[in-house]
């Protein structure tokens, strides 16, 4: 690999609700022997998703970076030298966030707190206090957003404008096919790579309705085409090569520089 | 039809370069006997696309609303009572724009001047002096953007935030499949209808390289699904029913109101 090529990856998995040690061990086994410059794990990969209420979310939330989950992420990143972006429930005093821990080579880089909460998450978590973050490691610039942030084009756009080569996108997707299709457009319109690491399987924690996660974790390239796809169900490690020469070239085939030719004077209503 | 249902349509066609009277007659024949609340015609439907230089564009450009083309649009809109959005070259003193005339029921409503020019259009036209417009007719709110504006998510977003039920999208698309796929996402993320009226066929005006337009004109609905599709080649009139109760409901299945839950404080970099 040259300096300008990086390996990017995502792990599709199905955590058992509430079994943090078991879920951590499962990921550790799944990535054993893998190498990557960036690894993305699903949203709330360590706890499961369907919290019954805020108290339950509180009971499974952890501080950053001292919590058990981030400590394990730090260890894995130190072993591999790579960056890891992984969803977890973050506790900060009385506040609770649906967050993504961002670590690299044994160092904590930040915790992104989901800005656009989905459905009942609004009962369990506080809305993220931003901004959308971009972190650099080994020359690779990684922007992070979580799951439902995808439906807001502003999210990926802000990350790309701030220099992201790749958007790390921990997810627990339940709307069939919507996001997987849309991420091709997010990649294309921003000329970046995207790594959507999704869950599979069904989680049913009454009185919440059963949720089936849609799998189909996907890496997309700056031309809007899939580079790697996971199946609908089953644990899967998806990976692809990222070339920064591509993600930093914002030209369409027409010769238009998509970023330089933006006209923000007409976007004021955003 | 109830007050809240409108018929929206697009005409896919292949103009002959430079033959404005012939192209106007062709459209008149194609829409004979049709009814619509909104009809979208392709970008530069009256002149063709591949201007050799600015002088040639100047020679085929017309003022708004006094030019021959807009006068014909006005007549057609008076006959049908509908709104028409149609691409043409606009002359305003020394300035030239790749524009869309917007008329309804015999009245000129405005001329949208393309904000994001594509490829060699930058040699022939001045960049649009905005804003992205939304016009209302018979209770239907129509936002207008032209062709390459699609790749900028800001364009459709601004139109939708300003109340568009439907995005009228005159086009001359040449990148295979890119836009047709993306318009499903533009419709979904904004919960609006879209009408992309595209050209088909090949135009070759040396020394410019031959351009093949991709056809596949498409109407999409707020759920991100196609409502009507034209073939890759051939004249085609695509139409669908628009319900404003759908385009004004910004809720995702999760109960999230996609517009009310935007968080512009984190979009400042746009």
């Amino acid at each position: 690999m040259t300096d300008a090529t990086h390996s990017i990856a995502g792990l599709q998995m199905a955590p058992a609700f509430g079994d943090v040690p078991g879920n951590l061990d499962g990921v550790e086994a799944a990535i054993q022997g893998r190498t990557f410059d960036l690894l993305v794990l699903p949203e709330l990969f360590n706890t499961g998703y369907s919290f019954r209420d805020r108290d339950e979310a509180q009971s499974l939330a952890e501080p950053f970076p001292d919590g058990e989950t981030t400590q394990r992420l730090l260890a894995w990143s130190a072993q591999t030298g790579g960056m890891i972006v992984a969803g977890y429930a973050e506790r900060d005093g009385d506040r609770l966030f649906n967050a993504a821990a961002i670590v690299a080579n044994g160092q904590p880089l930040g915790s992104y707190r989901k800005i656009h909460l989905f459905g009942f998450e609004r009962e369990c978590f506080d809305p993220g206090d931003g901004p959308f973050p971009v972190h650099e490691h080994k020359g690779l610039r990684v922007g992070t957003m979580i799951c439902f942030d995808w439906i807001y084009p502003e999210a990926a756009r802000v990350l790309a404008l701030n220099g992201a080569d790749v958007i790390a996108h921990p997810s627990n997707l339940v709307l069939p096919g919507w996001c997987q299709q849309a991420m091709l457009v997010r990649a294309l319109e921003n000329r970046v790579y995207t790594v959507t690491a999704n869950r599979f399987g069904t989680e049913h924690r009454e009185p919440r309705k059963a949720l089936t996660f849609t799998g189909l974790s996907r890496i997309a390239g700056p031309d809007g085409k899939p580079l790697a796809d996971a199946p609908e169900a089953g644990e899967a490690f998806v990976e692809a090569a990222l070339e920064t020469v591509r993600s930093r070239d914002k030209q369409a085939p027409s010769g238009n520089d998509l970023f330089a030719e933006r006209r923000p004077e007409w976007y004021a209503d955003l």
Side-chain angles (χ1 to χ4, degrees), chain A residues 17 44 47-53 56 120 124 172 199 203-206 208-211 213:
Chain A
F17 189 89
L44 295 165
T47 59
Y49 182 70
S50 300
F51 297 106
R52 291 194 167 117
D53 52 34
E56 190 172 66
F120 76 81
C124 299
N172 277 191
R199 278 189 64 168
E203 192 174 80
H204 194 187
R205 302 196 66 250
E206 293 173 345
R208 298 227 179 268
K209 66 175 185 177
L211 290 176
F213 302 94

Side-chain angles (χ1 to χ4, degrees), chain A residues 90 92 95 97 111-115 126-132:
Chain A
E90 181 186 358
D92 182 3
R95 297 189 301 163
F97 299 100
S111 181
Y112 164 66
R113 296 161 169 183
K114 189 176 183 182
I115 284 179
D126 298 298
D129 53 358
F132 292 102

Side-chain angles (χ1 to χ4, degrees), chain A residues 100-111:
Chain A
I102 304 157
V103 303
N105 198 23
Q107 300 297 317
L109 299 185
S111 181

Side-chain angles (χ1 to χ4, degrees), chain A residues 46-104:
Chain A
N46 62 334
T47 59
Y49 182 70
S50 300
F51 297 106
R52 291 194 167 117
D53 52 34
R54 187 174 169 103
D55 284 346
E56 190 172 66
Q58 173 94 31
S59 74
L60 288 163
E62 304 179 19
F64 179 86
D66 298 327
E68 172 187 9
T69 296
T70 301
Q71 289 300 310
R72 289 286 282 278
L73 298 172
L74 287 165
W76 301 336
S77 74
Q79 288 158 19
T80 59
M83 184 186 294
I84 303 176
V85 177
Y88 75 115
E90 181 186 358
R91 176 161 43 83
D92 182 3
D94 287 339
R95 297 189 301 163
L96 286 179
F97 299 100
N98 181 346
I102 304 157
V103 303

